[in-house]
Amino acid sequence: MQEQIYAKVRAFAEKNRMFDQCGAVAAGVSGGGDSVTMLDILNRLKEEYGFQITAVHVNHGIRGAEAQRDQEAAEKLCRKMGIPCRVYCFDVPKLAAQWKTGLEEAGRTVRRQAFEEALAGVPVSGEKKKVIALAHNRNDLAETMLHHLARGTGIRGLSGIQAVNGEIIRPVLCLERKEIVNYLKERGISYITDSSNLSDDYTRNRIRNHILPAMEQKINAKAVEHMAETARVLAEADSYLQKKGRELLVGCRKENGYLLDEKFFAQDPILQEYAVMEAFEILSGKRKDFTSLHVDQVLSLQKKENGRYINLPESLRVIRQYGGVCLKKNSASDRENDASTEKKVSAGVGEMKFE
């Protein structure tokens, strides 16, 4: 069984070209079963693909003695495997308060910092690339799909977690949690369990501990497998629509932004939506602050009178003008005009005004 699982991960990595021209891998190792399995398989693959491994363990300063236990377990495992282990300790609650963010967001920030620092210290030759390996599995993907579905999402949210996303790879995303448990048992490798995963205090844990097991027991034993396949199809659809959205934007490009004209609004609505979201990302450099509500507001301006405009996150401004809807970066003069504008119309997420 363990060799079948190893072959499955190797084929998955090959299909997604995870280790093409790869010189260094920073592997996130918590000490839990998922990351321990990933580290063991990476250690078996490194000679074939010619990459170095550095294990990265992040102590978030949240779970006291248990976090210290996890850190020591990760260090012990790496010593046994002969893999360098970099440990980073952060006071995440304190940082979250300083940065005025949630614990989860602060945790993501410090983990990213740790990975970048660990990789910076690993020399690679020529054009070899450096990647970050995370140990998400199929169950994590299914949980993410259900979580996003319940909170409201689009195709991208339902496509779940990607096998490769830029420099981030997820080698064991093809495995279900039960396969990981079997692999470790057969290999005789010990791992630790994070007690917070057993608590129902978090929404994701309620999905993990109750909803998914019920789906597998009462509806279909292969529910997780089928959801993973659906996520793969949706990811391909999302990638295609993203590409078509970018192509649609090309004809709308202006010196200071985009003019969504009559030809633009003659296209299928879903292509319009993807194009607008692509414009948000190109103009602002990020996507996460924008939602479907912002997209709807931009598209709704087509039917408004000239002079209406909306201010959006990241200093973006959308104006209904002669010839269409102009989407651009807010200028200093625009902001000054806003300060003296008295006539406003409430529009929900963005602020809509008369010019």
Side-chain angles (χ1 to χ4, degrees), residues 1 30 120 141 144 160 186 219 229 248 294 315:
M1 177 66 76
S30 66
L141 187 154
T144 300
E186 289 193 19
I219 302 174
E229 176 59 18
L248 179 55
H294 293 121
S315 298

Side-chain angles (χ1 to χ4, degrees), residues 140-209:
D140 293 321
L141 187 154
E143 292 160 15
T144 300
M145 288 181 74
L146 290 174
H147 198 193
H148 287 175
L149 182 63
R151 295 196 307 173
T153 188
I155 294 177
R156 180 162 300 180
L158 289 177
S159 65
I161 306 167
Q162 303 305 308
V164 177
N165 186 6
E167 64 180 356
I168 295 175
I169 63 172
R170 295 179 170 90
V172 296
L173 191 60
C174 59
L175 300 181
E176 292 188 34
R177 196 161 283 135
K178 58 189 177 185
E179 292 178 290
I180 286 170
V181 171
N182 289 335
Y183 179 87
L184 292 171
K185 185 178 179 180
E186 289 193 19
R187 295 278 289 171
I189 303 174
S190 60
Y191 61 96
I192 53 92
T193 300
D194 182 344
S195 64
S196 66
N197 289 336
L198 306 176
S199 167
D200 284 346
D201 291 343
Y202 303 99
T203 302
R204 182 178 286 276
N205 285 2
R206 291 194 285 274
I207 295 172
R208 173 181 300 161
N209 298 332

Side-chain angles (χ1 to χ4, degrees), residues 5 32 76 98 136 151-152 197 209 217 265 285 308 323 327 346:
I5 292 173
K76 181 180 178 180
Q98 288 177 357
H136 295 105
R151 295 196 307 173
N197 289 336
N209 298 332
Q217 293 165 15
F265 286 102
R308 285 287 189 97
L327 177 57
S346 175

Side-chain angles (χ1 to χ4, degrees), residues 287-333:
R287 180 185 290 261
K288 73 183 185 76
D289 290 337
F290 297 97
T291 70
S292 60
L293 293 177
H294 293 121
V295 174
D296 290 343
Q297 284 191 311
V298 171
L299 298 177
S300 71
L301 274 183
Q302 182 206 13
K303 297 179 180 179
K304 305 293 184 183
E305 62 268 35
N306 288 346
R308 285 287 189 97
Y309 64 89
I310 305 170
N311 288 328
L312 296 176
E314 303 300 323
S315 298
L316 297 192
R317 166 171 291 207
V318 194
I319 308 169
R320 179 63 171 100
Q321 63 184 44
Y322 179 77
V325 176
C326 179
L327 177 57
K328 63 177 184 175
K329 194 81 170 175
N330 219 351
S331 66
S333 61

Side-chain angles (χ1 to χ4, degrees), residues 75-241:
E75 291 175 310
K76 181 180 178 180
L77 175 69
C78 290
R79 282 196 300 271
K80 188 174 180 180
M81 290 186 177
I83 296 172
C85 182
R86 300 287 301 274
V87 174
Y88 297 85
C89 298
F90 298 93
D91 188 342
V92 170
K94 182 178 179 180
L95 292 172
Q98 288 177 357
W99 298 338
K100 294 182 172 56
T101 64
L103 288 176
E104 191 174 351
E105 182 67 25
R108 276 196 294 267
T109 300
V110 299
R111 287 195 296 274
R112 182 72 187 188
Q113 179 183 326
F115 280 119
E116 289 177 352
E117 186 176 323
L119 280 176
V122 181
V124 295
S125 60
E127 299 299 316
K128 294 284 188 177
K129 65 182 181 181
K130 303 178 181 182
V131 299
I132 297 168
L134 303 181
H136 295 105
N137 59 46
R138 272 187 175 176
N139 291 69
D140 293 321
L141 187 154
E143 292 160 15
T144 300
M145 288 181 74
L146 290 174
H147 198 193
H148 287 175
L149 182 63
R151 295 196 307 173
T153 188
I155 294 177
R156 180 162 300 180
L158 289 177
S159 65
I161 306 167
Q162 303 305 308
V164 177
N165 186 6
E167 64 180 356
I168 295 175
I169 63 172
R170 295 179 170 90
V172 296
L173 191 60
C174 59
L175 300 181
E176 292 188 34
R177 196 161 283 135
K178 58 189 177 185
E179 292 178 290
I180 286 170
V181 171
N182 289 335
Y183 179 87
L184 292 171
K185 185 178 179 180
E186 289 193 19
R187 295 278 289 171
I189 303 174
S190 60
Y191 61 96
I192 53 92
T193 300
D194 182 344
S195 64
S196 66
N197 289 336
L198 306 176
S199 167
D200 284 346
D201 291 343
Y202 303 99
T203 302
R204 182 178 286 276
N205 285 2
R206 291 194 285 274
I207 295 172
R208 173 181 300 161
N209 298 332
H210 302 289
I211 297 175
L212 264 184
M215 291 175 67
E216 291 180 306
Q217 293 165 15
K218 306 293 185 182
I219 302 174
N220 191 319
K222 293 187 176 182
V224 170
E225 179 183 340
H226 294 326
M227 291 173 72
E229 176 59 18
T230 299
R232 183 193 66 79
V233 173
L234 289 172
E236 291 184 0
D238 180 69
S239 178
Y240 175 77
L241 290 169

Side-chain angles (χ1 to χ4, degrees), residues 6 9-10 13-14 17-27 38-55 82-84 119 122-125 128-133 169 171:
Y6 172 75
V9 173
R10 185 189 176 285
E14 191 74 23
R17 305 179 66 179
M18 290 185 183
F19 304 120
D20 285 6
Q21 293 298 309
C22 181
V25 176
M38 180 183 73
L39 187 66
D40 185 65
I41 291 176
L42 287 174
N43 203 33
R44 297 173 69 180
L45 288 170
K46 68 179 182 183
E47 297 301 328
E48 178 180 352
Y49 288 97
F51 57 77
Q52 306 171 65
I53 305 174
T54 300
I83 296 172
L119 280 176
V122 181
V124 295
S125 60
K128 294 284 188 177
K129 65 182 181 181
K130 303 178 181 182
V131 299
I132 297 168
I169 63 172

